[in-house]
Amino acid sequence: MNDRSTALADPIADDALTRPFTGASPYDSYVHASVLNSMQQPLTDAPDEMGFLVTTQVMELWFTLIVHEWRTARVAFAKDDLPAAMDALTRSRRALTALNGSWAPIAALTPAQFNGFRAAFGKASGFQSAMYRHLEFLLGDKSAGLLRSHRGDPAVHEALSETYREPSLYDEVLGFLHRQGLHVPMRVRERDVTQPYASDPGVVDVWREIYAGPQHHPHLALGELLTDIAELVTRWRFEHVLVVRRAMGSKPGSAGSSGLAWLEQRAARPVFPELWEVRGDV
Ligand code: HEM
């Protein structure tokens, strides 16, 4: 055979690769690709609906991974296992970067394109995403009202109630820093963790010690990793606002909010507030 016919030969002539499986392939048994790929059921023939549905499903999966990593990090902080916590947070940072990249297929929907399928999904809205709420509760952004909205679905409500009652990832970070000898005020350590976390001047002092101290304070890398995470969450929220503004302007949302104005307010909520405040006074 000359070089050209070698290049054109069937690359998969090896018997081991083409031997039929008995039943589902090991890949499908592990990944459940056939289940996953059977869950895209657009309600219209509008050309943009499939991209909208798949993007939303993909984001749900990234939420699941991020929540998983933050839970892993939370357990590690509670055990004072900083390396395991940093590893989980680093993996979550990569997942957040992928999440934010997932806007691309729907980032430039025109109102007419969005209108092509909007009426069909009725009152459905990402606002009702339970996994996104787990993610926000883990950040410390607790809300009894947003938990209550899931009451109609007992299994979902129970799982979310657990995340609501537990300390957030940030609560565990602060507990860890306190045990490391940095003074986190008792009012913060013993706070009611079902309340939304609010900035505390004593915690600003803790981060000031880390940020203003020697160049390589041992916990500077932790502060920066948390800041990356806070920034990526905020970027997701603002990207969402931009996508909404392009696709539907200032029309009301399908879940019943005022739409854009409501989302802009939500996007402005600080994530790990003291990490941003400290930058102004170091
Ligand atoms: C054309 C695309 C989109 C539009 C026009 C849109 C619109 C909106 C609007 C208006 C709201 C406010 C609540 C309401 O009244 O419905 C909302 C909330 C929300 N959306 Fe979207 N959305 C889009 C894409 C997505 C995607 C792909 C996701 C991914 C899962 C998503 C997740 C969310 C979440 C989590 C909230 C709640 C935010 C919060 O509680 O602060 N959205 N969306």
Side-chain angles (χ1 to χ4, degrees):
M1 269 199 273
N2 61 28
D3 278 0
R4 190 173 140 73
S5 56
T6 312
L8 292 176
D10 183 353
I12 308 180
D14 185 338
D15 263 2
L17 285 175
T18 56
R19 201 171 301 136
F21 313 110
T22 321
S25 69
Y27 173 79
D28 202 52
S29 301
Y30 178 58
V31 176
H32 302 293
S34 50
V35 176
L36 211 50
N37 290 320
S38 69
M39 291 192 298
Q40 293 72 44
Q41 288 139 19
L43 300 171
T44 68
D45 292 330
D48 295 283
E49 189 183 356
M50 189 65 161
F52 176 76
L53 194 52
V54 170
T55 300
T56 308
Q57 291 180 338
V58 164
M59 286 194 178
E60 278 290 330
L61 291 176
W62 289 132
F63 294 161
T64 300
L65 177 58
I66 293 158
V67 163
H68 172 80
E69 300 298 6
W70 289 353
R71 288 204 170 115
T72 305
R74 195 176 54 170
V75 169
F77 280 119
K79 292 186 194 155
D80 296 327
D81 185 350
L82 183 62
M86 294 290 279
D87 282 351
L89 291 181
T90 302
R91 290 192 299 268
S92 83
R93 179 173 57 189
R94 290 179 177 277
L96 277 160
T97 304
L99 169 73
N100 289 354
S102 308
W103 283 113
I106 59 163
L109 279 181
T110 65
Q113 287 165 343
F114 187 44
N115 286 342
F117 57 91
R118 188 180 187 201
F121 63 71
K123 290 187 157 74
S125 166
F127 172 77
Q128 296 141 10
S129 165
M131 199 49 81
Y132 182 76
R133 225 44 85 191
H134 279 280
L135 186 149
E136 285 204 328
F137 287 1
L138 274 161
L139 290 173
D141 205 350
K142 305 281 179 82
S143 162
L146 293 175
L147 169 65
R148 188 171 53 242
S149 68
H150 289 277
R151 250 194 209 155
D153 193 339
V156 168
H157 183 261
E158 184 43 42
L160 195 54
S161 304
E162 241 179 271
T163 310
Y164 174 75
R165 286 189 301 259
E166 290 166 352
S168 70
L169 168 66
Y170 196 54
D171 289 318
E172 291 294 3
V173 168
L174 297 179
F176 164 78
L177 290 176
H178 184 74
R179 292 189 297 279
Q180 293 285 304
L182 290 141
H183 179 67
V184 176
M186 196 191 298
R187 60 178 179 269
V188 175
R189 283 180 286 123
E190 294 185 359
R191 76 185 197 92
D192 172 1
V193 296
T194 65
Q195 292 304 304
Y197 185 86
S199 174
D200 186 281
V203 175
V204 178
D205 291 342
V206 167
W207 289 116
R208 189 183 299 107
E209 198 173 328
I210 292 172
Y211 273 80
Q215 193 65 28
H216 292 293
H217 188 285
H219 297 315
L220 184 65
L222 170 60
E224 286 297 276
L225 185 46
L226 290 169
T227 306
D228 284 345
I229 288 169
E231 178 173 325
L232 288 163
V233 169
T234 307
R235 282 184 188 277
W236 184 87
R237 290 172 171 168
F238 278 104
E239 188 84 12
H240 182 236
V241 165
L242 288 173
V243 170
V244 172
R245 188 180 289 152
R246 276 183 87 138
M248 55 173 258
S250 58
K251 291 171 201 152
S254 47
S257 80
S258 62
L260 200 55
W262 185 83
L263 282 171
E264 278 168 347
Q265 261 188 355
R266 300 275 306 161
R269 292 169 82 80
V271 178
F272 311 147
E274 299 92 346
L275 273 162
W276 299 99
E277 285 166 42
V278 75
R279 302 183 109 82
D281 55 27
V282 168

